[in-house]
Amino acid sequence: MLSDAFDRAFFSLLQAERSHRRQLQAQTATLRALLLEAVMSLDASLVDERIAQDPHFLHALDESGWRELLAQARRRGQMQRLARSNPRLMAEHQRLLAERDRLQSERDALLARIESLEAALADVQREALQARLAHPETLLPGLVQLPALPDDPPAAFADRFPGHLWERGGQLLALLAITGWSYQRAPLDELARLLGLSPGAGSLKRLLKRLADAGLAIKATVPASPSRIALVRLSDDGRKLAEALGLPVTESEWDRLLRLHGGERQQGHAALVCLFAWHARSRGHATQVCPHVEGRAEPDILLTKGDEQIYVEVEAESGSVERRMRKWRNQAALQNFVALAAPTPELRQRLAREAHAASKKGLATDLTSLRSSDELWVQQW
């Protein structure tokens, strides 16, 4: 008997639920009919146009769809009433709409043209940069131009650039790749110029440290009597990132000196050469370390200014006097004179006396005097 009562109660609930659902469906159908009637009263042609595009579109409308349809019908109805009440004003409105469409079309065409021209300009700049980098001795401070970089780093390196590091960090990395300059101040001063900052800005030194901490650059302070010299170069990952960006990567002065001039054993000498290269560029001489020459000479650096070329030995009085005398004679045979750079004035004078015995003509300078001298050569004979 309890089971019969339960069945009757369940059946009653089921019937009530079905009745309620039918009522809701009827109410929904009534509301849809009222909404459709409202739309038709505003602009019957709108519904016909939409049905022609999609015969089932009315069944797919939700609340936001009906609101949008009503708003569109209201706007079109207003325009139709305006056309009937003021044909001239309506004609002017239609003309302005047509003019707007024409201008938008012209704008889209101009934007596409600008995008095409920017791409062509980027290609030209890239080709010019590659042509210049085919002769790295032509790069000078104040003349370096950076290609446009993407708004974000390549996905494989995104985690290396937290926060806003990419904007300036990418530019510094590009400078290191393009120039190959290794005396730390050289790329930092060039980036300061490009950004309109003061040379030696602490923010750029911190930027370089963040690149090094991210594993994209290698920096070191190398003992080089009588001082210590800060050097920088791209790491292997830094070079991979530059290549991923499509940047031409120049072998850094530091890397080239280590590869061609004594390796890790000659870090101090490499640092002196990089510092002298910076001084020479600061005075208008383009530079190339470890240049290839015919004959027995092995100059440390080639200076180029206009049509003038000077092969220079950067010497810290290493080895025997006999070895250095062979070096001076080989250099004189290469260019008919000796050109040397020493760390200090005292050493420069001693080396100049040696070189004078090997060549009747010569130029000499030292890194200490260059701190205060505008001229590159402080002694000649």
Side-chain angles (χ1 to χ4, degrees):
M1 188 169 178
L2 181 60
S3 176
D4 292 342
F6 178 80
D7 289 342
R8 286 195 299 273
F10 178 75
F11 181 76
S12 296
L13 287 173
L14 185 60
Q15 288 293 98
E17 189 274 333
R18 288 174 177 171
S19 176
H20 182 63
R21 187 167 65 248
R22 285 194 294 270
Q23 289 176 1
L24 289 177
Q25 290 173 344
Q27 290 174 359
T28 300
T30 300
L31 287 174
R32 284 180 177 273
L34 289 172
L35 288 170
L36 180 58
E37 184 178 343
V39 172
M40 296 289 286
S41 68
L42 292 170
D43 184 5
S45 61
L46 174 61
V47 177
D48 294 335
E49 292 172 6
R50 296 289 297 273
I51 290 177
Q53 296 171 359
D54 179 8
H56 306 289
F57 95 96
L58 286 173
H59 301 288
L61 290 177
D62 55 10
E63 179 184 349
S64 62
W66 278 107
R67 289 182 182 276
E68 181 181 350
L69 185 64
L70 279 167
Q72 187 177 4
R74 187 181 298 112
R75 288 193 299 270
R76 289 182 44 154
Q78 290 172 346
M79 297 308 300
Q80 291 170 1
R81 289 192 295 275
L82 177 62
R84 289 192 296 269
S85 63
N86 194 332
R88 292 181 60 186
L89 184 59
M90 185 60 188
E92 178 65 11
H93 177 76
Q94 294 295 340
R95 187 190 69 77
L96 291 175
L97 287 179
E99 181 69 7
R100 180 201 63 185
D101 293 341
R102 183 185 67 79
L103 291 175
Q104 287 180 341
S105 178
E106 289 184 1
R107 180 202 62 184
D108 293 341
L110 288 173
L111 289 175
R113 179 61 175 162
I114 289 171
E115 184 176 350
S116 174
L117 290 173
E118 287 178 341
L121 177 60
D123 289 340
V124 170
Q125 289 177 333
R126 190 176 299 108
E127 291 174 3
L129 183 60
Q130 290 173 339
R132 174 171 287 185
L133 290 178
H135 303 281
E137 69 275 8
T138 63
L139 288 175
L140 283 172
L143 300 178
V144 179
Q145 295 181 344
L146 292 181
L149 298 178
D151 293 335
D152 299 298
F157 295 91
D159 61 338
R160 309 285 187 99
F161 294 91
H164 300 288
L165 177 59
W166 169 246
E167 182 178 0
R168 290 187 176 182
Q171 291 176 311
L172 178 53
L173 183 135
L175 269 174
L176 291 171
I178 290 170
T179 66
W181 297 341
S182 291
Y183 178 53
Q184 190 176 118
R185 185 172 169 182
L188 293 184
D189 281 358
E190 192 66 10
L191 183 58
R193 178 189 69 82
L194 291 169
L195 297 176
L197 301 176
S198 300
S203 60
L204 298 186
K205 294 178 182 178
R206 292 190 293 273
L207 179 66
L208 177 58
K209 182 180 184 302
R210 293 183 69 184
L211 282 187
D213 291 343
L216 299 171
I218 297 171
K219 58 194 291 287
T221 302
V222 179
S225 180
S227 61
R228 297 168 64 83
I229 298 172
L231 300 181
V232 62
R233 56 190 167 110
L234 289 180
S235 66
D236 288 342
D237 281 352
R239 283 190 290 271
K240 291 177 183 176
L241 173 53
E243 290 168 355
L245 291 168
L247 296 172
V249 180
T250 300
E251 184 180 30
S252 76
E253 295 170 326
W254 190 6
D255 283 319
R256 186 172 175 85
L257 284 159
L258 293 180
R259 181 171 63 86
L260 298 176
H261 209 300
E264 297 291 337
R265 295 178 294 103
Q266 294 289 334
Q267 288 273 24
H269 178 259
L272 291 172
V273 175
C274 292
L275 175 55
F276 175 70
W278 173 73
H279 278 297
R281 286 192 299 270
S282 300
R283 292 161 177 79
H285 295 266
T287 61
Q288 184 180 21
V289 303
C290 299
H292 173 74
V293 298
E294 300 294 335
R296 296 181 177 180
E298 296 180 352
D300 292 318
I301 187 168
L302 167 65
L303 307 185
T304 303
K305 191 173 186 179
D307 296 330
E308 179 187 50
Q309 289 190 326
I310 302 175
Y311 293 95
V312 183
E313 291 287 348
V314 179
E315 180 60 55
E317 205 173 26
S318 60
S320 65
V321 174
E322 290 76 13
R323 183 193 69 83
R324 292 196 298 276
M325 290 301 293
R326 287 195 299 272
K327 180 185 293 188
W328 308 137
R329 285 193 289 268
N330 290 338
Q331 194 185 25
L334 174 66
Q335 61 186 1
N336 296 319
F337 63 92
V338 170
L340 66 90
T344 65
E346 296 77 16
L347 181 54
R348 182 245 309 160
Q349 291 171 0
R350 290 201 300 272
L351 294 175
R353 285 194 292 270
E354 287 181 4
H356 199 174
S359 174
K360 294 181 180 180
K361 295 191 295 182
L363 301 168
T365 191
D366 64 85
L367 299 173
T368 303
S369 298
L370 289 178
R371 296 174 188 171
S372 56
S373 173
D374 292 333
E375 298 297 325
L376 183 62
W377 304 107
V378 296
Q379 182 179 352
Q380 61 181 22
W381 62 91

